[in-house]
Amino acid sequence: MSVRPAAVAGLFYPADRAELCDMIARELAQIDVVSPCPRALVAPHAGYIYSGPTAAYAYALLSKSPVSRVVIAGPAHRVAFRGVAVASSSAFRTPLGDVPLAADGRELAERFDCVAIDDGAHAMEHSLEVQLPFLQTVLGSFELLPLCVGAVEASELADVLESLWGDAQMLFVISSDLSHYHPYAEARRMDLTTIDRILEGQSIDHEQACGATGINAMNILAKQHGLQAQLLDYRNSGDTAGDRDRVVGYASLAFG
């Protein structure tokens, strides 16, 4: 079985192991954890210099977590396809080591018409990969089920996620940024409206969040399982390492 190599190490986050560890440790050290371990998270997937502080708010909640299995649903950026892509790889690699893949992927492809094995969709996709170093830091070892989300209805993705819900040691991570390339003040207005809709359990579109399908699917499950979304952090690239003319918005949320 093949190992998917890190595709965006050195681009979205440091390729050097020690530098990566130091960067994540600094971000996590800034946060006082007051919330219990969630059932699901929404976390951003931009370069760490832009969205790392916001991602840390989500992953800090897992510092004492019993989680041993993680599903990540992230939007496809590199390849256009219909449905949900799972990988045939045995592991995904980062500078922090290899994360073994769960066998569930092949089972999902056999069970759901919208799911297919497609390594090409995963090869260069960053929305899944950038979550892994944070997860490796806070969880240590865990089993991964990466779902690359193409053109699919939120209800279909929700059915796939629901089939995995009974595993109490499973964490669901929805990878998503918010608005893209608007001026700072306009982006804040748009993003805060989007966050309010998510917290109220309302659907959003892909102009509001690139991972809208995953967020909408999680809100479907939240209603079914009596979970409430909580905002952990919001900011945009103009607050971190970018200019304020064309920003990208980031939010971390927890469902519990």
Side-chain angles (χ1 to χ4, degrees):
M1 296 287 286
S2 64
V3 174
R4 178 200 179 273
V8 296
L11 298 172
F12 280 67
Y13 60 86
D16 179 78
R17 178 188 177 94
E19 183 182 354
L20 177 57
C21 288
D22 288 345
M23 187 176 197
I24 292 174
R26 286 196 306 270
E27 298 295 357
L28 293 172
Q30 304 299 313
I31 300 162
D32 293 325
V33 178
V34 295
S35 300
C37 180
R39 193 71 169 96
L41 294 169
V42 174
H45 54 237
Y48 283 12
I49 63 170
Y50 300 105
S51 66
T54 297
Y57 271 88
Y59 290 115
L61 298 183
L62 305 180
S63 59
K64 298 181 180 179
S65 169
V67 166
S68 61
R69 286 159 49 83
V70 179
V71 176
I72 306 177
H77 291 81
R78 308 292 182 179
V79 178
F81 62 93
R82 299 193 64 81
V84 177
V86 294
S88 67
S89 308
S90 60
F92 275 22
R93 179 166 294 161
T94 80
L96 303 187
D98 291 354
V99 181
L101 262 59
D104 306 61
R106 290 185 178 276
E107 297 172 8
L108 294 177
E110 295 172 357
R111 179 176 175 185
F112 293 94
D113 291 339
C114 66
V115 180
I117 298 172
D118 185 351
D119 291 316
H122 284 274
M124 296 301 295
E125 183 51 57
H126 66 273
S127 70
L128 304 165
E129 180 181 328
V130 298
Q131 311 298 341
L132 298 182
F134 271 102
L135 285 164
Q136 289 172 290
T137 299
V138 296
L139 294 180
S141 61
F142 63 96
E143 193 175 58
L144 173 68
L145 178 53
L147 304 178
C148 190
V149 180
V152 66
E153 294 296 325
S155 58
E156 294 180 279
L157 179 58
D159 287 343
V160 174
L161 298 180
E162 174 65 27
S163 73
L164 303 163
W165 196 267
D167 187 338
Q169 292 185 313
M170 181 82 82
L171 172 75
F172 297 85
V173 176
I174 306 300
S175 179
S176 184
D177 296 335
L178 298 180
S179 67
H180 285 58
Y181 309 135
H182 299 283
Y184 183 88
E186 180 182 351
R188 280 191 59 86
R189 176 184 58 77
M190 294 174 63
D191 291 341
L192 293 175
T193 298
T194 299
I195 290 167
D196 283 344
R197 290 187 65 85
I198 297 170
L199 295 177
E200 293 167 2
Q202 301 181 49
S203 64
I204 59 173
D205 61 37
H206 289 93
E207 292 297 315
Q208 295 170 296
C210 57
T213 302
I215 293 172
N216 291 339
M218 186 50 60
N219 259 332
I220 291 172
L221 296 184
K223 291 176 184 177
Q224 294 175 356
H225 293 276
L227 303 182
Q228 181 63 49
Q230 173 191 1
L231 177 65
L232 304 172
D233 185 66
Y234 166 70
R235 65 190 79 191
N236 63 47
S237 56
D239 297 313
T240 51
D243 64 49
R244 295 195 168 192
D245 294 331
R246 298 173 75 244
V247 307
V248 178
Y250 315 117
S252 57
L253 300 100
F255 289 80

